[in-house]
Every structure is written in structure tokens, then in C-alpha cells.
Amino acid sequence: MQDFDLPVGGRSSTAVRIENDALDLWALRAEDPDKDVAGRVWSTEIVIGGEVGSRPHVSLRLIVSTTEPDFTIEPHVPGPVLQMIETPGLIRGARRLTSEPVTIQTENDAEDLCDHLEDPERRLPIIVVALPEDGSGPQINTTVLAKAVAGLARIMMVPAELTWVLTKRFGKYRSVFNGGVRAYLRGFSATDDPFRHRLFLEADLRKDGGGAACVRGLLALSAEISISETRLGKDVLDFAAVRTASRKLRKTDLSNQAAPDEELLKTAEELVESLEKQIEEKDKEIDGYIAEVEATEDRAQAAEQENRSLLLRVRRLQAALAEGGETPTEEPPLPQEWSEFTDWLDETYPDKVLLTPAARRMARSPEFEDVTQVARAIAWLATVQHERRINGGGSLRDVPIENGILNSPCGGDTYAAEWKGRRYDVDWHVKTGSNVRDPKRCLRIYYFWVDETQQTVIDHLPSHRRTSAT
């Protein structure tokens, strides 16, 4: 296979090859317009090869170009990955990749899984699905999940009678059992922070939509880890770099062969064009890295704010106990101005209701006028809603909070948000019951529930969220 360009029916494919006595490398970029969304173009880059005489390496990355202001997709590896896993087969970390879930059969298999979980050389997350004790199947669609994350994560199913091996090895806080699902990230050990490795409990998976939400969360987690932990230029070779290297080698060869000036000029122009395209693509990548840095800073600020609020609460409780032996029960008065709102929330419900950095910025000077109404709604989230989430006691669907204010599922307005490095579905909101759109009177508080920490996280308030549809 040699260099080629193949534009066909709105699609284009380009390939280059570097071949000499020491190296044989082949790179392909195929661009394909989205079949459903105008203006969205998918680019698949595949690089195969390596040192002559050695086992070839393969890297693949999927890039999307779009003008959509609110771009959201459900991650899934591209088709070529599944095809290569099937034939001729791919190996990662001395273990064969598969697009199907693998079921543990014996105690030795379970011990091998534990060894692999603790292997410091392990690169891929391992999603362990514990089968329920009642003998039923998994609470999530493992077939769909395994196919979607093939090459990004491994899916292992453990029968109920073998989950004790994980518990004995790692303890109950780092294990998974009775229908639960856990994503073990690289670097895991028996002394690792258990909250770093996301756990989905069987009771939550059995809830309406719980299994589907788990799959979506694991898809997002696998994709994010693939992007954040893969080093471009080392783990993955990008097409532009291979193309530029190919042009440089060709120019050098022609110069050594004393080729005609016309041919040298043409090759030099191709090299310049390749370098310009590479710079353009690197600029886009830098924008993506900047966005990731900003997201990381937001996560750090959210964690610091939560820690400060909790530390303040602990110190006040300690002072109250030291003075009179009783903990204070009186809550701070409701805020009367928006300037008082975040301090009131941090002081009153630091362990129950949290704001994402985006929501915290929105609460500085919004158009919505009645800040005390927002505070009363949040008090309901921190008390009634919180209690029902933990202990049951009735549905939360369309529950009246006060006259004209309801708590409802977002339905078709559900969207994804990041919180502390993880993606969650923002699937509930507090809203005014009428179709008022005036931002001064239209209340919306979009939030989601975090099972692991039993906290409500507000991502957008206090007005209607603007989307590409609105």
C-alpha cells in the first residue's frame, strides 16, 4: 500500500506510508459526514506499523468537526475497532481485547482478575459486573456496553458465588457484589481510595432507568479516560504528524538523488502544505486542552468550596459542644438578597445540597427576583427530597413544593453535566407550574442526585436553561 487520495461522494480518504530499512508505517484518515446531522463530520485516523521485524502497533482516534453549540453524543468506539478485534485480533497489555463481556468461571479466574486489577502496568479500566444472588442476569446490558467500549475498557462478569474472592482480597468497601457494578481504574490497590472507583449499587440499578443510566455513565467514563490518559504522539500517532514526516523523508530522498528542480519544488510545496495543516490541527487540539484545564480548575474549586463549608460546619459544632454540650438546631435565616445566597447555602446545607461551579456563577446576579423562594425550594431538596431518596416515603414526580412550584423529572430536557471528573444526567428540576417565560418570574433549578455521597447537586439555576432548541 502506497500514498493515495480517494474523494468519493462527499467523503474523502487519504493515506501515506513511511517505508525504509528500519521502519514501516502506514497512516489513513477517512472523513465521513454524519448521516443525520448536517455540518457534522467524523474523521477516523488509523496508524499501523512500527519497526521492521517487530509486532506492529495500531492506534486509532476519532475526531468530530461540528458547529453545533450544544454538542452531545453517546460515546461508542468506531466500527474499524470492532473489525480489528474480530480479525486479526488486538492485544493490549499482553491480554487479548474482546468486544464481548467475559464471565469468570472458577476461583482461579477470580484470583487472576484480582491480580489484574492490582497490576501497576494495567492501562485499561476494568468494569466488574457482579451477578445477583437470586440467580438472575446482570442489571445492565453488558453486551451493548462491551461492544461500545471495546478497546477502551474490559467488561468482566463475576457470578455471585465468586464475589467473595474480591471481598476477601480488597474488603467490602473496595469490592462489588450482589448485582452491583464497579469501574476499577488503573492504579487500583487494596489500600486505594474506594470512592475513586465508581460503584453502582444493585438497588439503584433496579430502579426505573437505573440500568440505562449506569451504562451511559460507564460509556462517558471510558471515553474520558481514553482521552485524558492517552498521550498523543506516543500512545497514539496522529495522521498529520505521519504525513509531515513522510513529506520530509521524500524531500530528503529527492535531494540526495539530485532530482529535477520542478520535482523538488513540488515536494517542498507539499511539505509546507502538510506543516500548515498540522499547525491548524494542533491549534484545535490546544483549544481542547485548554477546555480540559478549565474543567479541572472547576473541579478543584468545587472540592475546595465543599471542604471549606464542611470544615466550617464541623468547627461550629465543636464550639457548640464545648460551650454547652448541645448541638445548635437553629438554621440561618433565609437570604434576602442574591449576594447572601451562596453563603447561606454553604452554611446551611454543606453536606446535602451543592452547586456546580457553573451554577455558583449563575447565582451571583440573576434576573429572577425572589431569592427567598429559591432558598425555600432548596430547603425542600435538602429535607423532604433528601429523606425520600435515602429512606423512601413516596414518589418525587410532580410533587408540589409550595403553591405554584413543583419538583419534576426533566424528561426530554435531560442533559449531561460534569461533577468532580464524572458525568451525570441532570434529570430533575424544580419549576414554576405555569408556562411563564419571563426570567424574573420563571423558576428552574436543574439538579441530579449522587448516590455514592447522598447529595443533591444543582447545575443550573434559577432560570430556564437555554438549549439549541430554545
Side-chain angles (χ1 to χ4, degrees), residues 385-412:
Q385 185 251 177
H386 189 86
E387 186 69 20
R388 290 188 185 181
R389 293 275 190 181
I390 297 174
N391 300 318
S395 171
L396 293 169
R397 179 183 291 272
D398 296 329
V399 174
I401 297 174
E402 60 181 57
N403 186 31
I405 304 297
L406 299 174
N407 181 73
S408 302
C410 289

Side-chain angles (χ1 to χ4, degrees), residues 115-152:
D115 290 341
H116 191 34
L117 290 175
E118 288 194 289
D119 184 357
E121 300 299 320
R122 174 168 67 90
R123 301 285 294 177
L124 298 181
I126 299 179
I127 298 170
V128 178
V129 180
L131 299 179
E133 295 176 355
D134 60 10
S136 60
Q139 301 301 312
I140 65 173
N141 193 326
T142 54
T143 301
V144 169
L145 177 62
K147 193 172 183 179
V149 300
L152 303 182

Side-chain angles (χ1 to χ4, degrees), residues 198-443:
R198 190 168 183 181
L199 175 65
F200 298 84
L201 298 175
E202 187 263 354
D204 296 317
L205 296 177
R206 287 188 179 274
K207 294 177 182 177
D208 185 27
C214 172
V215 169
R216 290 195 300 272
L218 292 172
L219 288 176
L221 175 66
S222 300
E224 288 165 2
I225 290 175
S226 174
I227 294 172
S228 62
E229 296 188 357
T230 301
R231 293 164 295 180
L232 190 62
K234 187 171 183 180
D235 299 317
V236 173
L237 296 179
D238 57 306
F239 175 83
V242 177
R243 178 183 56 198
T244 299
S246 173
R247 300 287 190 264
K248 286 181 179 179
L249 288 173
R250 183 181 303 172
K251 181 177 180 298
T252 301
D253 289 342
L254 290 174
S255 296
N256 293 336
Q257 297 169 11
D261 291 344
E262 294 81 1
E263 193 170 354
L264 286 172
L265 179 59
K266 180 181 179 182
T267 303
E269 290 173 347
E270 290 176 352
L271 177 58
V272 170
E273 181 185 6
S274 180
L275 287 168
E276 289 175 346
K277 289 181 179 179
Q278 188 173 357
I279 291 172
E280 181 182 350
E281 292 171 8
K282 291 300 180 184
D283 287 341
K284 293 179 181 179
E285 289 171 10
I286 290 171
D287 290 340
Y289 294 142
I290 291 174
E292 180 61 29
V293 168
E294 291 174 347
T296 302
E297 290 176 347
D298 279 349
R299 290 196 294 269
Q301 290 175 4
E304 289 175 3
Q305 181 63 51
E306 184 179 1
N307 287 337
R308 285 195 296 268
S309 300
L310 291 173
L311 182 60
L312 179 61
R313 168 63 68 91
V314 168
R315 286 175 175 170
R316 286 182 173 173
L317 291 175
Q318 289 174 335
L321 288 171
E323 290 178 3
E326 295 183 0
T327 59
T329 57
E330 183 178 351
E331 293 182 351
L334 295 178
Q336 303 300 310
E337 304 288 341
W338 278 108
S339 59
E340 305 169 355
F341 174 75
T342 54
D343 288 341
W344 166 83
L345 177 56
D346 294 339
E347 182 180 353
T348 311
Y349 305 114
D351 58 334
K352 293 182 178 180
V353 180
L354 306 174
L355 298 175
T356 65
R360 192 171 289 274
R361 288 190 291 268
M362 294 172 194
R364 290 173 182 168
S365 57
E367 292 185 63
F368 189 82
E369 296 175 338
D370 196 346
V371 64
T372 58
Q373 187 179 60
V374 175
R376 291 195 301 271
I378 288 178
W380 182 89
L381 291 174
T383 53
V384 177
Q385 185 251 177
H386 189 86
E387 186 69 20
R388 290 188 185 181
R389 293 275 190 181
I390 297 174
N391 300 318
S395 171
L396 293 169
R397 179 183 291 272
D398 296 329
V399 174
I401 297 174
E402 60 181 57
N403 186 31
I405 304 297
L406 299 174
N407 181 73
S408 302
C410 289
D413 290 334
T414 297
Y415 67 97
E418 184 182 275
W419 173 248
K420 295 185 177 180
R422 297 179 180 175
R423 281 192 174 270
Y424 294 88
D425 285 336
V426 184
D427 50 0
W428 289 89
H429 59 355
V430 173
K431 65 175 186 176
T432 46
S434 60
N435 290 324
V436 176
R437 290 282 176 167
D438 182 355
K440 295 181 179 180
R441 298 183 295 117
C442 175
L443 174 63

Side-chain angles (χ1 to χ4, degrees), residues 16 21 29 34-35 49 70 94 119 134 150 179 188 193 208 213-214 224 274 289 291 327-328 414 446 448:
V16 296
D21 294 339
R29 172 187 280 169
D34 193 284
K35 298 177 179 60
D70 191 13
D119 184 357
D134 60 10
F188 170 78
D193 176 10
D208 185 27
C214 172
E224 288 165 2
S274 180
Y289 294 142
T327 59
T414 297
Y446 297 83
F448 57 92

Side-chain angles (χ1 to χ4, degrees), residues 28-61:
L28 167 74
R29 172 187 280 169
E31 296 184 349
D32 187 16
D34 193 284
K35 298 177 179 60
D36 301 316
V37 181
R40 182 191 294 179
V41 179
W42 297 96
S43 298
T44 304
E45 295 185 356
I46 305 174
V47 180
I48 300 175
E51 295 180 1
V52 174
S54 300
R55 175 180 287 173
H57 292 262
V58 59
S59 67
L60 183 149
R61 70 171 182 157

